[in-house]
Amino acid sequence: MAASSGKRSAQIVFSLVGFGCNQAFLFLMLFLGPNRALGMGSFSVELADALCALLFMVAAFALYPRLFHRDGALLRKRNLVIALVALMMAGAALQGVCRVLLPDVMALAIVACALMAVPCAWLLCAWGAMMSRESVSRFVPEVFLGSALAGAICLAASVLPDAGGALVMMMCAAGNGFYLAKLDGGQDDSAGAPEVVAATTDPDALKLGSRILAGTAAYGLALGASQALSTAPGQAATPGLSFSFLIFVLYCIGALQLFGRNPLFSGVSILPKVDPSQTRPDEGPLDGAYRLALVVMAAGFLAIPVLSGTSMPGEAVVLAGYLAMEVVLVSLFMVMGSLSGANAGLAFARGFFFLFLGEALGVCLASWLQWVSIEPAMAAGVSAVAGVVALCAYLFLFTDRDLSALSVVVSRKDGFDRRVERMIEAFSLSKRESEILPFVLRGRTGERIASELFISKNTVDTHIRRIYAKCDVHNRQELIDLSESFKS
């Protein structure tokens, strides 16, 4: 048991640091550096580097289902991970060279964006699929802690010169791949391997998908327009970037206080425990975090005219709110993937496709408005409209009620996940036995389990017999009755 707990603690550290490196690389790729305009005759596109990265990521997310199929297993091949990380590091180095030595060679900058954005998108999906194997009460705090680490890394990188920022990005890419390979490579058939819990397809949860995706696109549109209107070519792509990351880190710390009923590490809780009797059944791990992110974003939109010309423009606060929203969406896409029965990597690909497409459209819209000689007063009005778009997304599309509805399903599933996890640890089940156990407890037939896990029915039957032997039971009903004793 002690060995299992130690292994579990190591895996949490790998998740936190590796996912944090992935997030830091993504943030620095999109927001660090100068605003370079891409001229197209009399028309020029603002934030050309960020726009190219966004478009390449949109294409990568669109290709994900075709290239990596349902379970994304190919992305967990160590050689492929190494290749993708090498591309990211090469792209970061090339981008640093472009910014320092060849600032006017846009073609090289576009190549650098492609080298960074496509692998980063696919590895983000890989992290989603990896971390969502755990229970919601564990992977949500991991996401916020990893994102806080990412914010701290970006805060340090934002005060460095361009060459220093490129070096930090290369280190983040290396850390991303190292911990992803380390985490997945450690998941052999030994005792205590993390489980892949069978998903609970919930029709009510699935109905929320299209509205959430529309709201996600609206948030991206609002951020892209606001960001492009806040800067001019030659200036920093994101004025007040250090303030954005500082506020973001504070947000992650504050959001962590809203959930965390179970300790991440065995016997060690980083947050005060919550008495279940004092909580409502519709309270979930993301409701408060979502509201808090929207408050930060709305405060930024309101502060744009007030803080104009200061060292911390209102757009910096808007960006902090957007980063906070991105963390909520990371957690949400993991939850949606788990509840819908789909691999979370697919949920990531679909969700971030709409988020980054919306942001790219926002940048293009703002560039067009500046091309038609938009007046400063109208620019402030456009920023206000962007704020209204974000507010409408919250009120009519991706609403607080959606998360509350999901919370009921999540609470039910999370209790089941914890029960399965305790059985895995108590009876030292192997990785494959850990995958099959939740299906058995839910009454799935051998044929259904075989089709879900892409293995033969004979293999399933063999593992089920081993589960019975380890748990000292003789049939499925006895196993289900035994699982009841592992309830909280």
Side-chain angles (χ1 to χ4, degrees), residues 46-95:
E46 299 287 333
L47 300 172
D49 289 16
L51 180 61
C52 288
L54 288 168
L55 293 176
F56 280 121
M57 292 191 79
V58 167
F61 287 127
L63 290 172
Y64 176 87
R66 294 181 178 272
L67 295 178
F68 302 107
H69 307 293
R70 185 176 185 273
D71 62 351
L74 181 60
L75 269 176
R76 298 198 293 275
K77 300 295 184 182
R78 186 164 299 185
N79 290 339
L80 179 58
V81 171
I82 292 173
L84 293 177
V85 168
L87 290 176
M88 292 168 67
M89 295 179 69
L94 181 59
Q95 186 185 64

Side-chain angles (χ1 to χ4, degrees), residues 297-341:
M297 182 180 289
F301 280 116
L302 292 174
I304 286 176
V306 177
L307 299 178
S308 178
T310 67
S311 59
M312 187 182 75
E315 289 84 358
V317 184
V318 172
L319 177 58
Y322 172 83
L323 296 177
M325 189 67 68
E326 191 263 358
V327 178
V328 174
L329 292 172
V330 166
S331 301
L332 179 65
F333 295 152
M334 288 185 185
V335 173
M336 292 294 292
S338 177
L339 294 180
S340 65

